[in-house]
Amino acid sequence: LPDGGRIVFVRKIDDTAGVTKIRVHLRDMQRAFGSGDFSMPMFIHMKTVPGVKEMADLRSHITYTETDLPNGGELRIKTTDPTAIDAVHRFLAFQREEHHAGSTP
């Protein structure tokens, strides 16, 4: 998105336990990322994730908003800072590639 992006996790089947895990994970990401802690994606991927240094450094210029969706949720990442926007876009591009996920409208 022009002002950042979003991470969306949605179950394709009715799965109350799975949806609960998704929402807890997104809330954990919201708290961690908002405080500049990007150890979770670096631990998961076992390498430095593009954009996280800048996102951590510019954390006061980025907002993270978790919203419940039917069968899942989303984490909206938003900023007006051009350097942060570039970092968010690099971070999300890496995530899409690593998780073999397509872009969603």
Side-chain angles (χ1 to χ4, degrees):
L1 301 171
D3 62 355
R6 63 189 185 149
I7 299 170
V8 178
F9 298 139
V10 177
R11 298 286 295 155
K12 293 182 180 179
I13 59 171
D14 286 333
D15 175 10
T16 304
V19 170
T20 298
K21 286 181 183 182
I22 285 171
R23 292 175 180 167
V24 167
H25 182 59
L26 288 169
R27 288 182 187 109
D28 288 345
M29 290 168 59
Q30 177 186 19
R31 280 189 293 279
F33 293 1
S35 69
D37 177 1
F38 289 89
S39 59
M40 185 186 324
M42 295 200 308
F43 175 76
I44 290 168
H45 298 287
M46 299 305 291
K47 58 183 155 184
T48 301
V49 177
V52 298
K53 180 188 181 323
E54 296 86 350
M55 290 170 70
D57 291 346
L58 296 167
R59 66 185 166 272
S60 65
H61 299 278
I62 305 170
T63 60
Y64 299 89
T65 306
E66 187 277 333
T67 304
D68 291 350
L69 299 174
N71 287 337
E74 85 170 11
L75 181 64
R76 179 70 165 89
I77 306 169
K78 192 172 181 180
T79 182
T80 58
D81 182 281
T83 302
I85 290 170
D86 178 65
V88 170
H89 288 172
R90 288 186 290 120
F91 173 78
L92 293 175
F94 172 85
Q95 294 295 335
R96 280 191 306 275
E97 184 176 319
E98 285 287 305
H99 294 283
H100 309 287
S103 296
T104 58

